[in-house]
Amino acid sequence: MKITSTSCICPVLVCLCFVQRCYGTAHHSSIKVTRNQTKHIEGETEVHHRPKRGWVWNQFFVLEEHMGPDPQYVGKLHSNSDKGDGSVKYILTGEGAGTIFIIDDTTGDIHSTKSLDREQKTHYVLHAQAIDRRTNKPLEPESEFIIKVQDINDNAPKFTDGPYIVTVPEMSDMGTSVLQVTATDADDPTYGNSARVVYSILQGQPYFSVDPKTEHYQLYVPESAQVGSAVGKIKANDADTGSNADMTYSIINGDGIGIFSISTDKETREGILSLKKPLNYEKKKSYTLTIEGANTHLDFRFSHLGPFKDATMLKIIVGDVDEPPLFSMPSYVMEVYENAKIGTVVGTVLAQDPDSANSLVRYFIDYSAEDDRCFNIDANTGTIRTTKVLDREETPWYNITVAASENDNPGLLSHVTVGIRVLDVNDNPPELAREYDIVVCENSKPGQVIHTISAIDRDDFANGPRFNFFLDERLSVNPNFTLKDNEDNTASILTRRRRFSRTIQDVYYLPIMISDGGIPSLSSSSTLTVRVCACERDGRVRTCHAEAFLSSAGLSTGALIAILLCVVILLAIVVLFITLRRSKKEPLIISEEDVRENVVTYDDEGGGEEDTEAFDITALRNPSAAEELKYRRDIRPEVKLTPRHQTLSTLESIDVQEFIKQKLVEADLDPSVPPYDSLQTYAYEGQRSEAGSISSLDSATTQSDQDYHYLGDWGPEFKKLAELYGEIESERTT
């Protein structure tokens, strides 16, 4: 890889020539480059377009620099609806229609009337339409097609710089690089060999030479090439074989460092050029790289023959490709107020054709089937408007996708995400955060906080808190409870009097008002329910049910059930006993012995006109028989009746014991006493007490100074008694 040279300085004249399309001479060089096969609009031999139903034509080409006397034939449009009877009329519109390109409206033949220059415009976009000649109604939808200008070799190569002045150190080795020149050709590099440049030296031989093809390499890469893809190959020749010919490639200089990278294929010993960043023809049309190939296995015995590496310059030409529109931002965020009228402007998106043609752009919203279509977009301006009245509390944010396409090429689309934030207005009043179970203890004191409430608002923070709590001023003052705004979006419920009683009223209602901090402010009303409950001293609720008073006296549920069971059993026994007595009566006299030796026990208090068992009822009905039945049937009325009643003076004058004995005799001899033997009880209280009556019946009408607060210290058994006397004392105080 080393070439020796003589040391001299002399002028050199380099001659350039262009190569015709038939150029096929073999060239001998140490490095070759292979162009990638990526297609682009300038390099395709056929442009693929979206076919329309009924149209029949091929791709159209027109040769540049046509100098003939007649218009140049371009191609023919034909519709399946055309039967050849002249009823179909063809219309041509678009770039150059009517001036450069004309069409026979009957046959559909297209001709070019002017000489075209491919270096000024590479292609023309036109539209064709077939209509009924009689009715002027379209027979086919309007279709788009392209006429490409075909290149001819009509441009000579030119040096980009010059004249060149360089110096060469004396004793330089043969093959030392002195200068690298670059010439370009304006012809199409992708069509034929019109743009291929060949270098030659006209003066300076034999001291200097120039490689006719490689003073530098040229590689075409379309701007649509994908990042990470291989865009070209380069290879250096080495006369050695085996491992001595192994080499690596690297980029050592150039403005394409960072845009391109190179790797080595160990099998083919080629350098693979890859794209690291996307290309943009409109921003930069070419790059220059200096690539070096070096042997990997060096033998120091031959180091004096070195340097065993070589470098070359590679020029990369960026090809223009018809790209989709480019939005001005990668994404958009817009805002609109809720409840805005239909048709309110939300915002505008902007996209432009990045190509030099700068075609017009059309917009549309890419909706899926299940999307709620709340917005539309102006196809020409990109302005987004509302189609429905929005509710922030229902949907606070919308994400839509806007697509843009070129008018000349609708198939090329680009998309952008548009986020739409719905701004809040104060359209929701505040309300209680939840349903509150508020309890007030029977032994509450005035000013005692019994509960704390809070509120919520469906609106945004700016239109919600701070909340204001207050009582409805239109209502009279509540004598039982009041409301205190804590100024932290909460409010406290306070009592206004001492003690409440479930027996008097177990539920109270407190209407309140809540307003928010929005502009304008909104308010709502709510009613709180307060239940009266029995509580322990520490405030714990014992019970809130009026039917549970026995429970407060110390009886549990189990004890109450046991008492009820006992009552039921006793009632059952009584019913059974009465039933047995009525079904079977025992005789009054058990034996024939003297009746006085027997005591008959009974629980009847005496006869009556319904009692037919104790005596003969006929005596009452027959007056004549009554005279014969003056005495009881079971007693001999031999003793004279003694008066049963005596005056008070007689009773006070006799002894108590004598009085009882007398009554006993009267009871034994009196035939008119109730049937059967009876037990009569007498007691004597004695004289009236000098201390007077100790009954509590008279104390109800007097004011007592007794203090009953000590009852609260006697335990839960006296809790109810303490509460009752406490209420009496509170009522007397009031």
Side-chain angles (χ1 to χ4, degrees), residues 646-698:
Q646 307 223 355
T647 62
L648 180 61
S649 60
T650 305
L651 291 176
E652 291 180 352
S653 63
I654 64 176
D655 186 73
V656 174
Q657 186 176 1
E658 287 297 328
F659 173 80
I660 295 175
K661 290 181 179 180
Q662 183 180 349
K663 289 297 180 181
L664 179 59
V665 173
E666 292 179 359
D668 291 339
L669 299 179
D670 188 1
S672 62
V673 297
Y676 307 109
D677 290 340
S678 61
L679 179 63
Q680 298 184 15
T681 303
Y682 298 90
Y684 178 69
E685 292 185 0
Q687 300 296 326
R688 179 179 177 89
S689 175
E690 297 180 358
S693 176
I694 61 173
S695 173
S696 61
L697 298 177
D698 296 335

Side-chain angles (χ1 to χ4, degrees), residues 341-359:
K341 295 181 179 180
I342 296 176
T344 300
V345 175
V346 180
T348 303
V349 298
L350 177 63
Q352 292 181 335
D353 181 10
D355 300 318
S356 57
N358 195 19
S359 300

Side-chain angles (χ1 to χ4, degrees), residues 66-80:
H66 177 70
M67 304 303 293
D70 299 324
Q72 183 180 183
Y73 181 76
V74 178
K76 182 183 183 65
L77 296 179
H78 180 70
S79 171
N80 289 338

Side-chain angles (χ1 to χ4, degrees), residues 74 146 219 341 529:
V74 178
I146 297 175
L219 181 66
K341 295 181 179 180
T529 302

Side-chain angles (χ1 to χ4, degrees), residues 290-434:
T290 301
I291 300 178
E292 181 183 78
N295 287 125
T296 56
H297 303 287
L298 300 178
D299 192 337
F300 293 102
R301 296 176 298 172
F302 308 104
S303 59
H304 62 284
L305 301 176
F308 300 100
K309 59 183 178 180
D310 196 9
T312 188
M313 181 176 290
L314 175 63
K315 184 175 183 179
I316 300 176
I317 298 175
V318 180
D320 187 18
V321 177
D322 193 7
E323 299 174 280
L326 181 64
F327 283 96
S328 60
M329 299 176 63
S331 63
Y332 293 84
V333 176
M334 301 176 182
E335 296 177 342
V336 63
Y337 280 99
E338 64 174 331
N339 301 333
K341 295 181 179 180
I342 296 176
T344 300
V345 175
V346 180
T348 303
V349 298
L350 177 63
Q352 292 181 335
D353 181 10
D355 300 318
S356 57
N358 195 19
S359 300
L360 295 178
V361 175
R362 296 183 63 85
Y363 306 91
F364 62 92
I365 297 178
D366 189 4
Y367 279 118
S368 58
E370 64 277 5
D371 286 344
D372 190 10
R373 300 172 182 251
C374 298
F375 307 93
N376 62 14
I377 189 170
D378 189 292
N380 298 317
T381 64
T383 300
I384 300 175
R385 299 176 184 270
T386 60
T387 59
K388 296 182 179 180
V389 177
L390 306 179
D391 185 0
R392 189 202 69 88
E393 288 71 39
E394 181 179 348
T395 307
W397 187 276
Y398 291 88
N399 287 317
I400 62 175
T401 301
V402 176
S405 65
E406 298 179 11
N407 285 351
D408 297 338
N409 192 353
L412 288 177
L413 297 174
S414 59
H415 299 81
V416 70
T417 300
V418 179
I420 301 176
R421 181 186 296 110
V422 182
L423 301 179
D424 183 51
V425 297
N426 194 19
D427 59 346
N428 290 279
E431 56 188 16
L432 289 176
R434 57 184 176 87

